[in-house]
Amino acid sequence: VPFVDFLRDPARDPETGEASAVRPSAYEAVPSMDALRARCEELQARAAATSAGRAAAPPTLVLSKDALTHPTRLTRVLAMDRGCAVLVGVGGSGKQSLARLAAALAGVTPFQVTPARGYGPANFLEDLKALYRLAGVKGQAVAFILADGDIRDEAFLEYVNQVMGTGDVPGMYSRDELDGLCAEVRPAFLAASPAGTSDSPEALRAFFLARVRARLRILLCLSPVGPAFARRVAQFPAIFAGSAIDWFLPWP
């Protein structure tokens, strides 16, 4: 029987009735596979209702016993700071759909690029900036889902490798942009630091990058077919050294 931490709903304010933004984390065994399936379908429906029209919203899936194993495994990864995973399987094995479902189950904001004609490294960096703002300034846990079809240029993976290695992508921000981010993140820095801590630009920047690395989760959906996968393993060591590997074997 699997153990999961998404069986309980957030506490509600007795006066306003509003649900807390933080879901209680209680790692516990599911009563049965039927109960797990019902809970996953419930959270799937909630996520679809609150994210209508968003590209990374979870689709409606028929959850067989085997299909349930991947999201429950991925939620354990997404529950951790810097929780990243590489989902390996041939095309059409459900990697992206189950990654979006796992994000919904873990209560993590999903994000997926929508590359159009002419989408290149500059556009990818702009999307990374949006992710950095969500994770570093707003403090949201974000799941960045990147699939083979989204990788229009190998530079995308070089940027991801830098994000997972140090969090610092050279040249992504201008000096003015960095100063603006430091100003925005200063209240959170002061709240999290001991009294008297210096809020120098270097300290604010380090705090911002540490917050990004902690809250930004990356789910790479890759196919092992062809030479590209082996080349990427050798070329981008931070990605594979810092990720859990989830193999999508043929469905029974």
Side-chain angles (χ1 to χ4, degrees), residues 41-109:
E41 290 173 347
E42 177 188 358
L43 293 176
Q44 178 180 240
R46 288 186 195 174
T50 57
S51 59
R54 193 168 63 198
T60 301
L61 304 173
V62 177
L63 298 174
S64 66
K65 178 180 178 181
D66 296 278
L68 286 170
T69 61
H70 293 287
T72 53
R73 187 178 299 138
L74 291 172
T75 55
R76 291 194 284 272
V77 175
L78 293 173
M80 299 184 292
D81 287 351
R82 303 189 187 184
C84 300
V86 178
L87 287 62
V88 185
V90 298
S93 55
K95 301 185 295 295
Q96 294 183 66
S97 299
L98 293 176
R100 294 195 293 270
L101 175 59
L105 298 179
V108 176
T109 303

